[in-house]
Structure formats: structure tokens, C-alpha cells
Amino acid sequence: MRRSVLLCLTSLVAVPAVGQLQAAGDVNVVADPVAAADIGVTQPGDAVVRVVPGSAERLGRVLELTRRIWSERVGRGPIEVQVSSAALATLRAEGFEPEVLIPDVQAVIDAERASIEARRFAGRADAVDLRTYYPFEDMIAFVNQLAAERPDLVSVQSIGQSVEGREIWTMTVTAPGDASGRADVVFNSLIHAREWITGPATLELARQLVRGYGSDPRITSILDQTVVHITPVLNPDGYVYAWTTDRFWRKNRRNNNNGSFGVDLNRNFDIDFGGNGASGVTTSDIYHGPGPFSEPESQAIRDFMLGLPDLRAHVDTHSFSQLILYSPGTFAQTVPDFARLAEVGAGITQSIQDVFGAFYTPQPGLDLYEAAGTFGDWSYDEFRELSYTFELRPVSSNPGFAPPDFFIRPTAEEISAAYLYLTERAVAPLRFVMTPPAVIRADEPTTVTFSVLDGTAAPSSTVRAFARPDENAAYSELTVQPLGQGRYAVTLESGACGGVAGLYFEALTTAGDTATFPAAGAAGPIAVPVTADARVFIDSFNTDQGWTVTNDPGLTDGAWERAIPNDTGTRGEPFADAERTGWAFVTDNAVGNADVDGGTTTLTSPALDATGGTGALLRYSLWLDNTRGSAPQEDALRVELSADNGQSWTPVDQIGPAGPDAAGGWVQREVNVGLTVGQTDSLRVRFIAEDLINGSVVEAGVDAVSLTITDGCPSLDPCDVADVNNDGSVNDSDFFAWVTAFTTGGPGCDQNGDGDCSDSDFFAWVTVFTSGC
Ligand code: 0X9
Ligand code: ZN
């Protein structure tokens, strides 16, 4: 697509970021904005605005007028800052055209506080739930509550004291019995004081582990294998200060002895200490402190982690931006495990998306901005294991650090899922990759392919699969057919229509250990409903099934292309296909600037037969990101159907131009063909990506297109069977309908369910008719 001038500028400049403020040295003009007069605690009338400085000089001016930076990235492109009402007026007067995101920051703080007061009612069952934010003492009370509930699983210790003498409480959860030999994983939140939504995420994990052990097979298996260490408030002084005094305080509360307070703990670790993206100015929000590990909070977590016998994974939890970050985060760092970090990072993204569909971009920290001395880069460097910095919801500065309380539950639940996934990956000897079938046919075999790949060990050739046709049946072993290169296929013969079939796998490592997928095996198999529906067309785009691409004459870039997505997602393009089979249609697969520009590009299916059954459903996965450039949220991705082989078209679906689905990530959609254009044997679908009006960054994808003829499961109720014409009652007209079925061999003839159509079906119908329905 068209690329805006501003985007080109930002991409030419190393993009400094957050507290980057000092790192604004990268653009050579900016004094430390944190030293500006207006910095500090929110005042009545403050707003959060988005401006596009356009030049380094004008960025410097914006930062002078800024009380606090809210956006992750700071450069000449759009940045989001908190300003006083006077500064807002100045920005307007100087022609910055600020777009107001939060008109009244104090009102947001007041509303948040009122909601907290209203929801933090006395006598609640849990000291912390996901209804609102909770102060430090409630969070620690919840840790102690869980420990009191299951002393056999939980222990609580202080790993050290903060600058102001508060304890840094850490809970350790594992199965009863000898824990030696179990792998350690570490999750922490609230290293940054204002990132309140991170606390509920680690506490929700604690709750799920403690309450799920013994009843939930997945949790039980995790705690049998690992020791989970959770530090919900790594920076207690800062967190308390954010509650009492300054809602958007970030650092710890070190007295810098010059009138300023606070060291950014996430610049205080001994990895490239004092390098780019950290500041030596004590007032800065990214002040790195006088030396590596100068702060008791960073010392405490360092010593705790170094004392663990077998650390395999760590997450330092932050907000906001919806990112899964991994090393390198500084140019000074080498990352021999980069491929593994990226692969598990993509899996983390998927595990989050599987919960509510929210998309978190996986990327190296360096792609965001260089930051020296961070916790995540230190823990990777020290242990060379799976280390991540999560940035939780929301995506952008409105609502930024203060998401309303209805964000808390979904965020905490999806991040708990990610912590569990990462814990499993950290210890899984082998990795099973497959897309389970959406349904199994009741009357014909379904083939499932999967791969068995390296985890912490390598697979041998012993792979077994087990299936049961419904929840009450016993498992039987399937024949596993090797396809080469770690790929296998199994065939599920059929299931009991209306039931839920179960499937699990076992494989041996070269060392002879058994790995099971899903981890709970027979107790928690992959569950697949069994239906009589028929998928008459499936396209994962791994081969060419006859799609055509047509473009507007004005289109200059970004035509649909069938490809294995090869870009990194930083411009909003799909970085992988929807089902992880490899292929998808994307709008130009070139790396870098390759989005839709100057018109529309249209992808049209071959003709499909959508007749038969009781209905037809078209399913597909779409990707649209139109949020990244100038003129964002202006263009949609449209879906149209034709019942006449492409002569006329009916719009049936679209994502964008606005809305959460237009911000990247695969979304699965479904259109009822019968209800929109009618069931026809000349059905075509087309997907139209556009860049209209102003030039925008538009990245789109289409994948996993399927057409299902629905039939449901035949009813076993004799009255339903005898209602041959399906009008809801059994009467004379069903007799005539039966005669027609008998003479034509049509559906409804087989009344006694013996599988064929004969005289005896007539007597079966009469028996039901006379017994009355
Ligand atoms: O800058 C930080 O400390 C983190 N972002 S936040 O807005 N929560 O403060 C991100 C650090 C990620 N690491 C690198 N970008 N190197
Ligand atoms: Zn942070």
C-alpha cells in the first residue's frame, strides 16, 4: 500500500521509545523532556493527546510541553503524551493539531477510584478477584489466603525488602512431595508501579494453580512437573505510591538525594547497563540508577532466581501495547536461542488468541526500541532459557495504563493461559503440532495430520494415537502412518453422531521418555464434535485450487498473493497463516513496505457447489490491520458472495474500517449461504482489500476457507422419523411423502433404521402413526 511520508521518516530514524526520553538522543535534538517544568503528578485539566511531530525539532517541542509520555514509541511519527490544558492550547496554537484521546485524565483516575471503592466490598470471598484493582495489602492477603487454603501446595516467603522496607513477597506453588527434579518457572508483575493490570494476571495464575490442583488434569500435570514462583508486586514502594500519590508513577522510590526520586528497575539489571534506551538523568522515567543492581528490588529478584536449581522460563509482566517481547532488547546482546524464543513466542500469542481472540504481537524487544539493562534481557542472558517481557492490554494510550475494570478479567484470564502454555513448553520433552478437525463426520472417515518435533528432547520413531468415538466409549489405538520428516497421519473411522469424540497422542523421546499430547492424555483428550455435516470444500491455500486475483488499474502495490507469510508483522502484516499449515493469501508477501496502495485487489474463489443438506455455511479466517499508518481505520476488508457464478455480487461480511478486528490478528468468520444468497451450485466468494481515499497502511490476509453443507444428526425420536415432510406433525400427508420417498429412493424412506428402503418401512411408519405422536 501507499506508505505515508511520516512513516518513511520514522522508519529512517532509530525509533527511540518510552522513557526513551533520553534515548531521544537518537534524534539528536531532544533535551531530556523529563526535566521539563510541567512534569509530574496529574493535574486537573490534563489530557492525553496524539500528535504527529513530523520532524525531530517539533518532537523536541512536543516533549518540552509534555508532562508524561504514554506511548511505547517516540519518534517523528505519532506519539501519545499527557499534557496540561495550557500545554494543549500551546500545541494547538503552534499548529500541532493534537488529537485528544483522553480529554480529562483526572476524571479517568477519579472514575477508576470510584469503581474500586464500589467493587472492593467488605466480606468478599477472595481478598482479590477480577472485579477491580486491589491495593498492595489486599494482593498480599490473597497470596496468604491461597497459602492457608493449600499449605500442601503453597509456600510464601519474602525474597528481600524494598528501599522503603516493604517485603517483596513471593509465593511458590508445586505438587506435594519431593520437588527436587522439578523445573522452576518465575512470573512477576508490577516492576513498573503504574501497570496495574499486570497484578491480576499473576494472581489469577496463582488462583488457577492452587484451586485447580487435583481437579483440573492440566494444572495437576503442570504442578507435578514444575515449581512455579510468583512475585505479584516486585516494586511495592512504587505501587503503593501510585495508589496514594501519583497514579502514573513508574519507578521505585529511591531518594536520589537531589530532590528527585526513583530508579527505573527495568533499566537497573546488569545487561548492557547504561547503554541506549536508559538514562543517567535522575528525574528521567528511565533513570538506570547509579550502577547495575544498585536497587534492593532488582538485587532481591536476581539473588532469588540465581538460587533456583533449574530455571526454565521467566516472564516479566508489563503493560500496555499487547506485545510478547523477547531478546535481543539491546544491540549489545547475542541470542543463540533466537529461533526457539521466536517459535515459543508465536505459540504464546496463539495461546492468548485462543482465549478471547485478542492479538498480542510477538517480536524481539529491539524491534520496539533498544533498552539497556532490562530484567527480561538479563534473565535471558543469565539462564539462556525462555525469557519474555509481556506487555498486556490495551493496545494504545486510550485507556493505556488505566483500563477500566471490565478489562481485568479477560486480560488476567488470557495471560494466565499464556503462563500455563509457557510452563508446559518449558518442560515438554516433545512438541506436537496439529490443527484438530472442527468436526468429525458420523458416516465417513476423517484424516488428521500432525508433526512430532523437538522440545527439550528429540523424538524417536515411536508415535501412538488413541481415539474414542464419544465420551462414554473406551479408547482404541489407531494406526499411525508416517509421512516423513516428523509428520504423521491417523484416520478416525467415524463417531456417534451428536457425540464428542476424543483423541490423544503419545510419543517416545530418543532417551525413552514418554510425551503425551494433550498433556493430560486420556483424561483430557482433544475433543471433537461428531456431526453429519459435510465439508464439501476446504482450502488452506497449500495448493492452488483455482482462485483468481483482479486489481484496480490504479493499484500500485499489495495485490493478493498465495504465499507462506515471510514478514515479521511489524507493519501489521500476517507473520504466519491462520491454521499454521504454512500458506495463506496475503496482500503482497514482500518484506517491508508491501501493503495495499492506490485501489482495490480482489481475490475470487472457483465455483462451489453449495446445494444439498439443510443449509450451507461458508467459513474463513481474515486478517486486516489498517491501524499503523497515517489515515488509519479508513479501509475495510470486504467479503461478497455470488449465486450466479460471479455475474452479480452481494456484500455479506466485512472487517474494518474501525473496530478491534481491524488491528491485525486472524479472526474466524462464518456466513450462512442459504440465508444470504441461497444455496446454489454456482457459488463464488470474493475478498476485496482496499486502500481508498487517503494513502494508508493496509495489510490483509485470507486463509482457511471452507464450505460446509449442514445436516445435523438424524433424530432417533420415532415421531421425528415418521414426520417425513418435516412439517412438525405426523399425519396423512406424511404417508404420501413416504410413498414419494419410496418410489424415488429419497430421504425419509428408511423408517425402521435398517439402512434400506423396503415394504417393511411402510409398516414401521403405520405403527408410529397409529400409536399417536
Ligand atoms: O521500556 C520498558 O521497560 C518496557 N516497556 S514499558 O512501557 N512497560 O515500560 C519494555 C522493555 C522491553 N525491552 C526492550 N524493548 N528492549
Ligand atoms: Zn513496564
Side-chain angles (χ1 to χ4, degrees), residues 326-641:
Y326 45 86
S327 293
T330 113
F331 285 107
Q333 190 173 26
T334 52
V335 184
D337 307 289
F338 185 78
R340 181 168 185 234
L341 290 170
E343 190 274 315
V344 175
I348 291 170
T349 284
Q350 189 63 48
S351 72
I352 293 172
Q353 203 169 4
D354 286 347
V355 181
F356 299 111
F359 185 74
Y360 288 55
T361 304
Q363 62 182 50
L366 206 42
D367 277 10
L368 180 67
Y369 46 78
E370 189 172 17
T374 69
F375 188 12
D377 288 333
W378 172 80
S379 73
Y380 170 70
D381 200 62
E382 188 64 46
F383 298 98
R384 297 267 189 248
E385 292 288 351
L386 297 171
S387 169
Y388 293 89
T389 298
F390 287 3
E391 298 279 357
L392 309 194
R393 294 196 200 189
V395 177
S396 74
S397 294
N398 185 7
F401 300 114
D405 42 40
F406 60 80
F407 272 71
I408 299 173
R409 174 173 299 282
T411 306
E413 288 182 359
E414 71 203 7
I415 296 304
S416 295
Y419 293 143
L420 294 177
Y421 171 83
L422 177 59
T423 304
E424 287 173 337
R425 288 301 307 271
V427 294
L430 300 177
R431 185 154 57 93
F432 294 81
V433 179
M434 66 174 296
T435 306
V439 293
I440 290 174
R441 292 274 290 149
D443 58 355
E444 65 182 43
T446 302
T447 297
V448 176
T449 56
F450 60 99
S451 303
V452 184
L453 305 174
D454 284 13
T456 56
S460 76
S461 58
T462 305
V463 176
R464 305 173 71 189
F466 303 86
R468 61 182 184 193
D470 65 69
E471 284 141 311
N472 302 318
Y475 285 97
S476 51
E477 187 162 359
L478 307 176
T479 305
V480 176
Q481 187 197 347
L483 304 174
Q485 293 185 316
R487 284 175 63 74
Y488 300 88
V490 289
T491 299
L492 296 142
E493 273 320 320
S494 65
C497 203
V500 178
L503 176 65
Y504 71 94
F505 303 91
E506 269 178 24
L508 291 189
T509 67
T510 46
D513 296 323
T514 305
T516 308
F517 179 79
I526 298 164
V528 194
V530 183
T531 74
D533 297 351
R535 280 212 277 178
V536 294
F537 177 77
I538 303 179
D539 205 336
S540 303
F541 298 127
N542 296 16
T543 57
D544 181 359
Q545 297 203 43
W547 295 72
T548 49
V549 174
T550 43
N551 301 319
D552 269 359
L555 191 87
T556 55
D557 197 4
W560 287 112
E561 181 187 354
R562 192 175 69 83
I564 297 175
N566 64 359
D567 212 343
T568 54
T570 46
R571 286 174 50 83
E573 65 280 350
F575 58 89
D577 69 310
E579 327 139 281
R580 303 299 192 273
T581 57
W583 295 79
F585 262 98
V586 295
T587 47
D588 192 350
N589 199 32
V591 175
N593 179 9
D595 66 312
V596 184
D597 283 328
T600 65
T601 177
T602 300
L603 173 66
T604 306
S605 76
L608 306 173
D609 183 354
T611 57
T614 54
L617 294 175
L618 185 71
R619 295 197 180 92
Y620 42 82
S621 293
L622 299 182
W623 176 297
L624 176 66
D625 191 324
N626 64 10
T627 60
R628 310 255 172 161
S630 59
Q633 307 227 302
E634 200 174 71
D635 300 295
L637 174 56
R638 301 171 199 282
V639 184
E640 298 182 349
L641 288 184

Side-chain angles (χ1 to χ4, degrees), residues 109-133:
I109 297 174
D110 295 344
E112 182 183 74
R113 187 52 63 103
S115 169
I116 289 167
E117 304 289 328
R119 286 165 173 264
R120 187 178 167 242
F121 62 97
R124 61 195 182 278
D126 285 338
V128 163
D129 54 30
L130 301 179
R131 299 159 52 92
T132 188
Y133 300 106

Side-chain angles (χ1 to χ4, degrees), residues 18 72 190-195 198 250 264 266-267 316-320 369 389-391 401:
V18 90
E72 278 280 344
L190 288 168
I191 190 174
H192 281 152
R194 62 192 172 189
E195 297 166 9
T198 63
R250 167 180 166 102
D264 182 2
N266 208 30
R267 298 293 182 275
D316 180 24
T317 317
H318 292 247
S319 71
F320 54 92
Y369 46 78
T389 298
F390 287 3
E391 298 279 357
F401 300 114

Side-chain angles (χ1 to χ4, degrees), residues 217-261:
R218 182 178 184 200
I219 298 286
T220 307
S221 152
I222 284 176
L223 289 181
D224 284 343
Q225 298 174 71
T226 56
V227 185
V228 183
H229 307 275
I230 301 173
T231 306
V233 191
L234 182 53
N235 172 13
D237 299 348
Y239 188 56
V240 168
Y241 188 73
W243 274 74
T244 58
T245 314
D246 181 357
R247 172 64 183 85
F248 299 118
W249 187 255
R250 167 180 166 102
K251 303 185 285 182
N252 75 353
R253 288 296 298 164
R254 164 73 69 192
N255 184 343
N256 294 323
N257 288 324
N258 60 358
S260 83
F261 282 82

